Amino acid sequence: MSEGIDKQILDSYLTALFDTDKAGALRVVQEALDGGLTPEQVVFEVIIPGMERMIGGMISDNLVTLSQHFLASQIAEEVTDRLIPLFATVPEVQGHVVIGTSHGDFHGLGKKIVIGCLKARMFQVTDLGINVAPEKFVDQALEVGAEVIGISSMMVHTATGERGPKRVRQLLREQGLEDRLRIIVGGAPYRFHENLFREVGADAWGDTAAEVPGIVARLVREVRS
Amino acid sequence: MMTGMERFGALMSGGTPDRVPIVCNLLDQGARELGLSILEYYSRGEHVAEGQLRMREKYGYDTLTGMFYSALEAEVMGCRNIIYADDGPPNVGHLVINAPRDIKRLHVPDDLNEHPRFRELTTCIGLLKKEAQGRFPVLGVVTASFSLPAMLMGVGPWMELFLNGDPALRDELLETCSLFCSRQIAALREAGADLIVYVDPLASATFIQLKKFRELALPWIIRDLEAHGPAGVIFFNGGGRINPILADIREHAGIGAYYLNPYDDITEARALLGSNSLIAGTINDIRLIDWSPDEIEREVEKIMLAGKRAGGFIFGTLLMPCGIPEENIRALVAAAIRHGHHAESVVCR
Ligand code: B12
């Protein structure tokens, strides 16, 4: 497949994402497959660049909206789930993340968007659901052999509360696990306060889901090195 | 010295008050004031009124907020479980809409006061109105029809429905939510609310692109306000950025006051709105948790400078988290009073 056609496919995919047109985006994906692109090409040259275009603005000067994050991630998850089994070789898993919303927080959308983005980037993700106790984050991370714990919060009190990320940090410390596990946090309050992640004891935070795979990749490298 | 009401009155009639009016949206903090749990606090309109009055008295800002928590609107629409925390706002814990047929079953009571919790809310507003004795405007708060479904079915399913779902179903839901919104505005006004804060974060540029806003959200803003009219309504960002949609709302819905997001530029907002609208500029109140009084002072000064240059200006907060220390709330109001004086009145002194 020539460069030119790829670019055209990517452009139509981006246009559909920009317009939050799900049917349109899925049509582009199908046409690409029908036109001879391999499943790997579709994931790595259409879906992932589509997601990453959102970091720093899909079209320059334009705020990327949450509805665009939502759609890009939804499609990424659907399409990669469908296409990975069709890959010629099994893709290398980039790392393993357990993720959930903090204790007392019942808002699962941010987490869901993050999961889609991570999966498209070949991370293995264990979804712990909503309203997750701090002990469960740690226990589950150990059980599945994750490198990273992701904690999503929509409100200040669930981000900074005593049963939130702070407690997860404390548990890691008490159990001598700080070398083996990194904590990444995200959600609305952190977007209003870029240092809040430090105060809650996290190693990193993600402003938008699109940038999470890059940050998680760094955390995984730290743990593995 | 002017009262809060006089300050708002001056602004609304195109004049200049002695200083920029200050809105401080303290909600759950009232429970602490009364030594009650958040659950107990919100069980009685009397408690909330008392909490609001004490906090206004203690800190000295200019308005009284006649709001409990957003999820109360979902309760009136059938939500059966509210999740309470010790140190934060109550939240929706049961979604009313789980399938398309639930949308058809939604019911808006003719008289919202039939709902016991709503009655506590209007009782609270009535008490605030009475105790304010015309000195401080009482704010009533309503969620726009375009944002309310987020609490009835969850943000994700709602986005899915309005972006790529069945348009007839979407409109049916919005129709119901809009009826609820307009009835609520009427009920809050009747109870004594002087101003209506209209909250529409799903319509903001944080959520949807301008094109979608025009297509999907704007018609419902117009619709929500049809019965009541735009007078006395403040368009509140609800945490999303609104500069990109200001001009459209101004032109088509005729709302006269806009409550910006901390990340919306005040000067730009003025340019977009022209000279006839009021602008509330907001401090990023999540930062108030750990800013020092000096940092607060500098931030307030910056906002006030831009605001006074823009004119027709109100100083405000979003929804202040419980984690903000009292001394920082005091520092905030003190700085807002200090930097909010208009040049003329400073000269007069
Ligand atoms: C839309 C909105 C509403 C709507 C719908 C909310 C809902 N879910 O039910 C309405 C109007 C109903 C509402 C009400 C309330 N809201 Co509100 N709301 C918002 C707004 C604008 C967006 C929230 C949202 O749904 N985002 C969608 C998700 C997908 O975005 P996100 O969580 O940020 O996730 C993205 C990133 O953060 C990141 N991410 C998310 N999780 C994770 C996890 C990891 C590990 C990583 C790396 C990244 C990451 O990726 C995602 C995609 O890019 C925010 C402000 C804002 N700008 O974010 C306020 C905001 C969340 N609301 C707030 C509050 C307080 C409330 C209320 C509690 C008010 C009240 N007192 O009643 C109620 C609660 C309602 C309820 N559910 O019961 C506050 C919370 C801060 C605080 N003061 O504690 C905010 C921040 C506004 C503010 N600054 O004051 N709200």
PDB file of all heavy atoms in Angstrom, chain A residues 137-170:
ATOM      1  N   PHE A 137      -6.358  -2.523  45.024  1.00  0.00           N
ATOM      2  CA  PHE A 137      -5.417  -2.100  43.974  1.00  0.00           C
ATOM      3  C   PHE A 137      -4.106  -2.870  44.128  1.00  0.00           C
ATOM      4  O   PHE A 137      -3.554  -3.402  43.169  1.00  0.00           O
ATOM      5  CB  PHE A 137      -5.121  -0.593  44.089  1.00  0.00           C
ATOM      6  CG  PHE A 137      -6.160   0.290  43.455  1.00  0.00           C
ATOM      7  CD1 PHE A 137      -7.037   1.055  44.218  1.00  0.00           C
ATOM      8  CD2 PHE A 137      -6.251   0.384  42.065  1.00  0.00           C
ATOM      9  CE1 PHE A 137      -7.983   1.881  43.632  1.00  0.00           C
ATOM     10  CE2 PHE A 137      -7.198   1.215  41.465  1.00  0.00           C
ATOM     11  CZ  PHE A 137      -8.065   1.962  42.255  1.00  0.00           C
ATOM     12  N   VAL A 138      -3.612  -2.922  45.352  1.00  0.00           N
ATOM     13  CA  VAL A 138      -2.301  -3.537  45.593  1.00  0.00           C
ATOM     14  C   VAL A 138      -2.383  -5.054  45.412  1.00  0.00           C
ATOM     15  O   VAL A 138      -1.576  -5.650  44.694  1.00  0.00           O
ATOM     16  CB  VAL A 138      -1.796  -3.167  47.002  1.00  0.00           C
ATOM     17  CG1 VAL A 138      -0.449  -3.838  47.283  1.00  0.00           C
ATOM     18  CG2 VAL A 138      -1.674  -1.656  47.138  1.00  0.00           C
ATOM     19  N   ASP A 139      -3.368  -5.670  46.040  1.00  0.00           N
ATOM     20  CA  ASP A 139      -3.500  -7.126  45.952  1.00  0.00           C
ATOM     21  C   ASP A 139      -3.628  -7.588  44.508  1.00  0.00           C
ATOM     22  O   ASP A 139      -2.972  -8.525  44.072  1.00  0.00           O
ATOM     23  CB  ASP A 139      -4.730  -7.605  46.741  1.00  0.00           C
ATOM     24  CG  ASP A 139      -4.575  -7.352  48.233  1.00  0.00           C
ATOM     25  OD1 ASP A 139      -3.434  -7.029  48.651  1.00  0.00           O
ATOM     26  OD2 ASP A 139      -5.572  -7.453  48.978  1.00  0.00           O
ATOM     27  N   GLN A 140      -4.476  -6.902  43.761  1.00  0.00           N
ATOM     28  CA  GLN A 140      -4.708  -7.312  42.378  1.00  0.00           C
ATOM     29  C   GLN A 140      -3.476  -7.078  41.511  1.00  0.00           C
ATOM     30  O   GLN A 140      -3.163  -7.876  40.640  1.00  0.00           O
ATOM     31  CB  GLN A 140      -5.906  -6.561  41.798  1.00  0.00           C
ATOM     32  CG  GLN A 140      -7.231  -7.017  42.372  1.00  0.00           C
ATOM     33  CD  GLN A 140      -7.561  -8.437  41.944  1.00  0.00           C
ATOM     34  OE1 GLN A 140      -7.477  -8.790  40.774  1.00  0.00           O
ATOM     35  NE2 GLN A 140      -7.894  -9.286  42.922  1.00  0.00           N
ATOM     36  N   ALA A 141      -2.783  -5.982  41.775  1.00  0.00           N
ATOM     37  CA  ALA A 141      -1.570  -5.697  41.002  1.00  0.00           C
ATOM     38  C   ALA A 141      -0.573  -6.830  41.197  1.00  0.00           C
ATOM     39  O   ALA A 141       0.058  -7.296  40.239  1.00  0.00           O
ATOM     40  CB  ALA A 141      -0.966  -4.360  41.435  1.00  0.00           C
ATOM     41  N   LEU A 142      -0.444  -7.297  42.435  1.00  0.00           N
ATOM     42  CA  LEU A 142       0.488  -8.389  42.718  1.00  0.00           C
ATOM     43  C   LEU A 142       0.007  -9.671  42.060  1.00  0.00           C
ATOM     44  O   LEU A 142       0.779 -10.407  41.458  1.00  0.00           O
ATOM     45  CB  LEU A 142       0.602  -8.595  44.235  1.00  0.00           C
ATOM     46  CG  LEU A 142       1.354  -7.495  44.983  1.00  0.00           C
ATOM     47  CD1 LEU A 142       1.326  -7.756  46.483  1.00  0.00           C
ATOM     48  CD2 LEU A 142       2.796  -7.387  44.476  1.00  0.00           C
ATOM     49  N   GLU A 143      -1.286  -9.892  42.171  1.00  0.00           N
ATOM     50  CA  GLU A 143      -1.817 -11.143  41.649  1.00  0.00           C
ATOM     51  C   GLU A 143      -1.607 -11.294  40.139  1.00  0.00           C
ATOM     52  O   GLU A 143      -1.248 -12.365  39.667  1.00  0.00           O
ATOM     53  CB  GLU A 143      -3.303 -11.241  42.001  1.00  0.00           C
ATOM     54  CG  GLU A 143      -3.842 -12.635  41.776  1.00  0.00           C
ATOM     55  CD  GLU A 143      -5.249 -12.795  42.321  1.00  0.00           C
ATOM     56  OE1 GLU A 143      -5.527 -12.309  43.440  1.00  0.00           O
ATOM     57  OE2 GLU A 143      -6.072 -13.398  41.609  1.00  0.00           O
ATOM     58  N   VAL A 144      -1.847 -10.200  39.401  1.00  0.00           N
ATOM     59  CA  VAL A 144      -1.717 -10.325  37.941  1.00  0.00           C
ATOM     60  C   VAL A 144      -0.306  -9.984  37.459  1.00  0.00           C
ATOM     61  O   VAL A 144      -0.008 -10.070  36.278  1.00  0.00           O
ATOM     62  CB  VAL A 144      -2.748  -9.453  37.182  1.00  0.00           C
ATOM     63  CG1 VAL A 144      -4.163  -9.816  37.606  1.00  0.00           C
ATOM     64  CG2 VAL A 144      -2.482  -7.971  37.409  1.00  0.00           C
ATOM     65  N   GLY A 145       0.545  -9.551  38.381  1.00  0.00           N
ATOM     66  CA  GLY A 145       1.917  -9.214  38.010  1.00  0.00           C
ATOM     67  C   GLY A 145       2.019  -7.906  37.241  1.00  0.00           C
ATOM     68  O   GLY A 145       2.796  -7.774  36.300  1.00  0.00           O
ATOM     69  N   ALA A 146       1.215  -6.917  37.641  1.00  0.00           N
ATOM     70  CA  ALA A 146       1.247  -5.625  36.956  1.00  0.00           C
ATOM     71  C   ALA A 146       2.458  -4.806  37.389  1.00  0.00           C
ATOM     72  O   ALA A 146       3.030  -5.041  38.450  1.00  0.00           O
ATOM     73  CB  ALA A 146      -0.037  -4.856  37.272  1.00  0.00           C
ATOM     74  N   GLU A 147       2.844  -3.870  36.542  1.00  0.00           N
ATOM     75  CA  GLU A 147       3.905  -2.929  36.903  1.00  0.00           C
ATOM     76  C   GLU A 147       3.314  -1.599  37.380  1.00  0.00           C
ATOM     77  O   GLU A 147       3.967  -0.829  38.067  1.00  0.00           O
ATOM     78  CB  GLU A 147       4.806  -2.627  35.698  1.00  0.00           C
ATOM     79  CG  GLU A 147       5.652  -3.774  35.205  1.00  0.00           C
ATOM     80  CD  GLU A 147       4.964  -4.549  34.091  1.00  0.00           C
ATOM     81  OE1 GLU A 147       3.789  -4.259  33.800  1.00  0.00           O
ATOM     82  OE2 GLU A 147       5.600  -5.450  33.515  1.00  0.00           O
ATOM     83  N   VAL A 148       2.080  -1.327  36.925  1.00  0.00           N
ATOM     84  CA  VAL A 148       1.519   0.002  37.168  1.00  0.00           C
ATOM     85  C   VAL A 148       0.091  -0.103  37.710  1.00  0.00           C
ATOM     86  O   VAL A 148      -0.707  -0.923  37.250  1.00  0.00           O
ATOM     87  CB  VAL A 148       1.510   0.848  35.862  1.00  0.00           C
ATOM     88  CG1 VAL A 148       0.888   2.212  36.095  1.00  0.00           C
ATOM     89  CG2 VAL A 148       2.930   1.002  35.314  1.00  0.00           C
ATOM     90  N   ILE A 149      -0.196   0.750  38.707  1.00  0.00           N
ATOM     91  CA  ILE A 149      -1.553   0.877  39.240  1.00  0.00           C
ATOM     92  C   ILE A 149      -2.112   2.215  38.756  1.00  0.00           C
ATOM     93  O   ILE A 149      -1.491   3.259  38.974  1.00  0.00           O
ATOM     94  CB  ILE A 149      -1.538   0.859  40.791  1.00  0.00           C
ATOM     95  CG1 ILE A 149      -1.048  -0.502  41.312  1.00  0.00           C
ATOM     96  CG2 ILE A 149      -2.912   1.197  41.354  1.00  0.00           C
ATOM     97  CD1 ILE A 149      -0.870  -0.546  42.831  1.00  0.00           C
ATOM     98  N   GLY A 150      -3.263   2.192  38.102  1.00  0.00           N
ATOM     99  CA  GLY A 150      -3.897   3.423  37.643  1.00  0.00           C
ATOM    100  C   GLY A 150      -5.116   3.725  38.504  1.00  0.00           C
ATOM    101  O   GLY A 150      -5.937   2.847  38.749  1.00  0.00           O
ATOM    102  N   ILE A 151      -5.206   4.967  38.969  1.00  0.00           N
ATOM    103  CA  ILE A 151      -6.341   5.334  39.827  1.00  0.00           C
ATOM    104  C   ILE A 151      -7.002   6.588  39.275  1.00  0.00           C
ATOM    105  O   ILE A 151      -6.363   7.632  39.128  1.00  0.00           O
ATOM    106  CB  ILE A 151      -5.883   5.590  41.284  1.00  0.00           C
ATOM    107  CG1 ILE A 151      -5.014   4.423  41.792  1.00  0.00           C
ATOM    108  CG2 ILE A 151      -7.099   5.790  42.191  1.00  0.00           C
ATOM    109  CD1 ILE A 151      -4.373   4.687  43.146  1.00  0.00           C
ATOM    110  N   SER A 152      -8.284   6.482  39.000  1.00  0.00           N
ATOM    111  CA  SER A 152      -9.027   7.595  38.424  1.00  0.00           C
ATOM    112  C   SER A 152      -9.961   8.187  39.485  1.00  0.00           C
ATOM    113  O   SER A 152     -10.582   7.452  40.252  1.00  0.00           O
ATOM    114  CB  SER A 152      -9.845   7.064  37.235  1.00  0.00           C
ATOM    115  OG  SER A 152     -10.628   8.083  36.678  1.00  0.00           O
ATOM    116  N   SER A 153     -10.064   9.513  39.533  1.00  0.00           N
ATOM    117  CA  SER A 153     -10.962  10.177  40.491  1.00  0.00           C
ATOM    118  C   SER A 153     -11.640  11.352  39.818  1.00  0.00           C
ATOM    119  O   SER A 153     -10.998  12.081  39.069  1.00  0.00           O
ATOM    120  CB  SER A 153     -10.182  10.720  41.691  1.00  0.00           C
ATOM    121  OG  SER A 153      -9.359   9.744  42.263  1.00  0.00           O
ATOM    122  N   MET A 154     -12.918  11.548  40.101  1.00  0.00           N
ATOM    123  CA  MET A 154     -13.574  12.704  39.500  1.00  0.00           C
ATOM    124  C   MET A 154     -13.702  13.885  40.448  1.00  0.00           C
ATOM    125  O   MET A 154     -13.936  15.006  40.024  1.00  0.00           O
ATOM    126  CB  MET A 154     -14.929  12.365  38.909  1.00  0.00           C
ATOM    127  CG  MET A 154     -15.267  13.370  37.800  1.00  0.00           C
ATOM    128  SD  MET A 154     -16.946  13.377  37.162  1.00  0.00           S
ATOM    129  CE  MET A 154     -17.874  13.991  38.530  1.00  0.00           C
ATOM    130  N   MET A 155     -13.578  13.612  41.738  1.00  0.00           N
ATOM    131  CA  MET A 155     -13.744  14.722  42.669  1.00  0.00           C
ATOM    132  C   MET A 155     -12.516  14.871  43.545  1.00  0.00           C
ATOM    133  O   MET A 155     -11.739  13.930  43.722  1.00  0.00           O
ATOM    134  CB  MET A 155     -14.983  14.497  43.522  1.00  0.00           C
ATOM    135  CG  MET A 155     -16.259  14.699  42.727  1.00  0.00           C
ATOM    136  SD  MET A 155     -17.671  13.954  43.533  1.00  0.00           S
ATOM    137  CE  MET A 155     -17.184  12.261  43.562  1.00  0.00           C
ATOM    138  N   VAL A 156     -12.389  16.058  44.109  1.00  0.00           N
ATOM    139  CA  VAL A 156     -11.214  16.321  44.940  1.00  0.00           C
ATOM    140  C   VAL A 156     -11.175  15.378  46.137  1.00  0.00           C
ATOM    141  O   VAL A 156     -10.134  14.821  46.459  1.00  0.00           O
ATOM    142  CB  VAL A 156     -11.203  17.789  45.411  1.00  0.00           C
ATOM    143  CG1 VAL A 156     -10.166  17.991  46.496  1.00  0.00           C
ATOM    144  CG2 VAL A 156     -10.913  18.707  44.236  1.00  0.00           C
ATOM    145  N   HIS A 157     -12.318  15.171  46.780  1.00  0.00           N
ATOM    146  CA  HIS A 157     -12.244  14.381  48.011  1.00  0.00           C
ATOM    147  C   HIS A 157     -11.934  12.914  47.745  1.00  0.00           C
ATOM    148  O   HIS A 157     -11.368  12.252  48.607  1.00  0.00           O
ATOM    149  CB  HIS A 157     -13.510  14.551  48.863  1.00  0.00           C
ATOM    150  CG  HIS A 157     -14.735  13.877  48.325  1.00  0.00           C
ATOM    151  ND1 HIS A 157     -15.487  14.421  47.312  1.00  0.00           N
ATOM    152  CD2 HIS A 157     -15.337  12.721  48.651  1.00  0.00           C
ATOM    153  CE1 HIS A 157     -16.497  13.610  47.048  1.00  0.00           C
ATOM    154  NE2 HIS A 157     -16.434  12.570  47.849  1.00  0.00           N
ATOM    155  N   THR A 158     -12.282  12.428  46.543  1.00  0.00           N
ATOM    156  CA  THR A 158     -11.935  11.030  46.269  1.00  0.00           C
ATOM    157  C   THR A 158     -10.496  10.917  45.746  1.00  0.00           C
ATOM    158  O   THR A 158      -9.908   9.846  45.777  1.00  0.00           O
ATOM    159  CB  THR A 158     -12.926  10.386  45.277  1.00  0.00           C
ATOM    160  OG1 THR A 158     -13.030  11.206  44.110  1.00  0.00           O
ATOM    161  CG2 THR A 158     -14.284  10.206  45.900  1.00  0.00           C
ATOM    162  N   ALA A 159      -9.959  12.046  45.277  1.00  0.00           N
ATOM    163  CA  ALA A 159      -8.548  12.040  44.852  1.00  0.00           C
ATOM    164  C   ALA A 159      -7.627  12.168  46.063  1.00  0.00           C
ATOM    165  O   ALA A 159      -6.603  11.493  46.147  1.00  0.00           O
ATOM    166  CB  ALA A 159      -8.288  13.182  43.872  1.00  0.00           C
ATOM    167  N   THR A 160      -8.003  13.021  46.988  1.00  0.00           N
ATOM    168  CA  THR A 160      -7.086  13.344  48.090  1.00  0.00           C
ATOM    169  C   THR A 160      -7.428  12.620  49.394  1.00  0.00           C
ATOM    170  O   THR A 160      -6.689  12.727  50.360  1.00  0.00           O
ATOM    171  CB  THR A 160      -7.089  14.864  48.384  1.00  0.00           C
ATOM    172  OG1 THR A 160      -8.418  15.233  48.762  1.00  0.00           O
ATOM    173  CG2 THR A 160      -6.670  15.675  47.177  1.00  0.00           C
ATOM    174  N   GLY A 161      -8.553  11.916  49.416  1.00  0.00           N
ATOM    175  CA  GLY A 161      -9.021  11.292  50.660  1.00  0.00           C
ATOM    176  C   GLY A 161      -8.084  10.208  51.180  1.00  0.00           C
ATOM    177  O   GLY A 161      -7.191   9.728  50.480  1.00  0.00           O
ATOM    178  N   GLU A 162      -8.334   9.821  52.401  1.00  0.00           N
ATOM    179  CA  GLU A 162      -7.454   8.866  53.089  1.00  0.00           C
ATOM    180  C   GLU A 162      -7.557   7.440  52.548  1.00  0.00           C
ATOM    181  O   GLU A 162      -6.715   6.606  52.824  1.00  0.00           O
ATOM    182  CB  GLU A 162      -7.746   8.875  54.604  1.00  0.00           C
ATOM    183  CG  GLU A 162      -7.408  10.185  55.297  1.00  0.00           C
ATOM    184  CD  GLU A 162      -5.964  10.633  55.042  1.00  0.00           C
ATOM    185  OE1 GLU A 162      -5.069   9.770  55.084  1.00  0.00           O
ATOM    186  OE2 GLU A 162      -5.747  11.831  54.767  1.00  0.00           O
ATOM    187  N   ARG A 163      -8.628   7.146  51.810  1.00  0.00           N
ATOM    188  CA  ARG A 163      -8.776   5.804  51.240  1.00  0.00           C
ATOM    189  C   ARG A 163      -8.492   5.809  49.734  1.00  0.00           C
ATOM    190  O   ARG A 163      -8.847   4.889  49.029  1.00  0.00           O
ATOM    191  CB  ARG A 163     -10.190   5.259  51.496  1.00  0.00           C
ATOM    192  CG  ARG A 163     -10.585   5.169  52.951  1.00  0.00           C
ATOM    193  CD  ARG A 163     -10.215   3.849  53.600  1.00  0.00           C
ATOM    194  NE  ARG A 163     -10.841   2.693  52.969  1.00  0.00           N
ATOM    195  CZ  ARG A 163     -10.251   1.494  52.884  1.00  0.00           C
ATOM    196  NH1 ARG A 163      -9.038   1.314  53.356  1.00  0.00           N
ATOM    197  NH2 ARG A 163     -10.884   0.480  52.326  1.00  0.00           N
ATOM    198  N   GLY A 164      -7.876   6.863  49.279  1.00  0.00           N
ATOM    199  CA  GLY A 164      -7.565   6.985  47.853  1.00  0.00           C
ATOM    200  C   GLY A 164      -6.107   6.645  47.566  1.00  0.00           C
ATOM    201  O   GLY A 164      -5.501   5.821  48.257  1.00  0.00           O
ATOM    202  N   PRO A 165      -5.529   7.295  46.556  1.00  0.00           N
ATOM    203  CA  PRO A 165      -4.147   7.018  46.159  1.00  0.00           C
ATOM    204  C   PRO A 165      -3.145   7.095  47.321  1.00  0.00           C
ATOM    205  O   PRO A 165      -2.206   6.313  47.374  1.00  0.00           O
ATOM    206  CB  PRO A 165      -3.855   8.104  45.119  1.00  0.00           C
ATOM    207  CG  PRO A 165      -5.179   8.517  44.603  1.00  0.00           C
ATOM    208  CD  PRO A 165      -6.174   8.290  45.681  1.00  0.00           C
ATOM    209  N   LYS A 166      -3.379   8.035  48.250  1.00  0.00           N
ATOM    210  CA  LYS A 166      -2.466   8.172  49.391  1.00  0.00           C
ATOM    211  C   LYS A 166      -2.296   6.857  50.132  1.00  0.00           C
ATOM    212  O   LYS A 166      -1.200   6.480  50.525  1.00  0.00           O
ATOM    213  CB  LYS A 166      -3.044   9.176  50.403  1.00  0.00           C
ATOM    214  CG  LYS A 166      -2.732  10.600  50.115  1.00  0.00           C
ATOM    215  CD  LYS A 166      -3.293  11.487  51.226  1.00  0.00           C
ATOM    216  CE  LYS A 166      -3.267  12.933  50.781  1.00  0.00           C
ATOM    217  NZ  LYS A 166      -4.176  13.767  51.568  1.00  0.00           N
ATOM    218  N   ARG A 167      -3.406   6.184  50.330  1.00  0.00           N
ATOM    219  CA  ARG A 167      -3.377   4.925  51.064  1.00  0.00           C
ATOM    220  C   ARG A 167      -2.696   3.827  50.226  1.00  0.00           C
ATOM    221  O   ARG A 167      -1.968   2.997  50.765  1.00  0.00           O
ATOM    222  CB  ARG A 167      -4.814   4.530  51.436  1.00  0.00           C
ATOM    223  CG  ARG A 167      -4.951   3.217  52.155  1.00  0.00           C
ATOM    224  CD  ARG A 167      -4.408   3.265  53.579  1.00  0.00           C
ATOM    225  NE  ARG A 167      -4.409   1.922  54.165  1.00  0.00           N
ATOM    226  CZ  ARG A 167      -3.490   1.436  54.973  1.00  0.00           C
ATOM    227  NH1 ARG A 167      -2.472   2.195  55.334  1.00  0.00           N
ATOM    228  NH2 ARG A 167      -3.591   0.219  55.441  1.00  0.00           N
ATOM    229  N   VAL A 168      -2.919   3.872  48.915  1.00  0.00           N
ATOM    230  CA  VAL A 168      -2.257   2.898  48.052  1.00  0.00           C
ATOM    231  C   VAL A 168      -0.739   3.074  48.179  1.00  0.00           C
ATOM    232  O   VAL A 168       0.012   2.110  48.323  1.00  0.00           O
ATOM    233  CB  VAL A 168      -2.712   3.047  46.583  1.00  0.00           C
ATOM    234  CG1 VAL A 168      -1.961   2.076  45.676  1.00  0.00           C
ATOM    235  CG2 VAL A 168      -4.219   2.817  46.465  1.00  0.00           C
ATOM    236  N   ARG A 169      -0.292   4.321  48.175  1.00  0.00           N
ATOM    237  CA  ARG A 169       1.139   4.609  48.340  1.00  0.00           C
ATOM    238  C   ARG A 169       1.643   4.048  49.664  1.00  0.00           C
ATOM    239  O   ARG A 169       2.677   3.387  49.738  1.00  0.00           O
ATOM    240  CB  ARG A 169       1.367   6.127  48.275  1.00  0.00           C
ATOM    241  CG  ARG A 169       2.714   6.623  48.773  1.00  0.00           C
ATOM    242  CD  ARG A 169       3.888   6.034  47.989  1.00  0.00           C
ATOM    243  NE  ARG A 169       3.841   6.403  46.589  1.00  0.00           N
ATOM    244  CZ  ARG A 169       4.447   5.733  45.610  1.00  0.00           C
ATOM    245  NH1 ARG A 169       5.140   4.635  45.885  1.00  0.00           N
ATOM    246  NH2 ARG A 169       4.347   6.121  44.360  1.00  0.00           N
ATOM    247  N   GLN A 170       0.868   4.286  50.706  1.00  0.00           N
ATOM    248  CA  GLN A 170       1.265   3.828  52.036  1.00  0.00           C
ATOM    249  C   GLN A 170       1.405   2.299  52.061  1.00  0.00           C
ATOM    250  O   GLN A 170       2.366   1.765  52.612  1.00  0.00           O
ATOM    251  CB  GLN A 170       0.179   4.266  53.018  1.00  0.00           C
ATOM    252  CG  GLN A 170       0.636   4.413  54.433  1.00  0.00           C
ATOM    253  CD  GLN A 170      -0.556   4.810  55.322  1.00  0.00           C
ATOM    254  OE1 GLN A 170      -1.707   4.850  54.863  1.00  0.00           O
ATOM    255  NE2 GLN A 170      -0.287   5.095  56.576  1.00  0.00           N
TER     256      GLN A 170
END
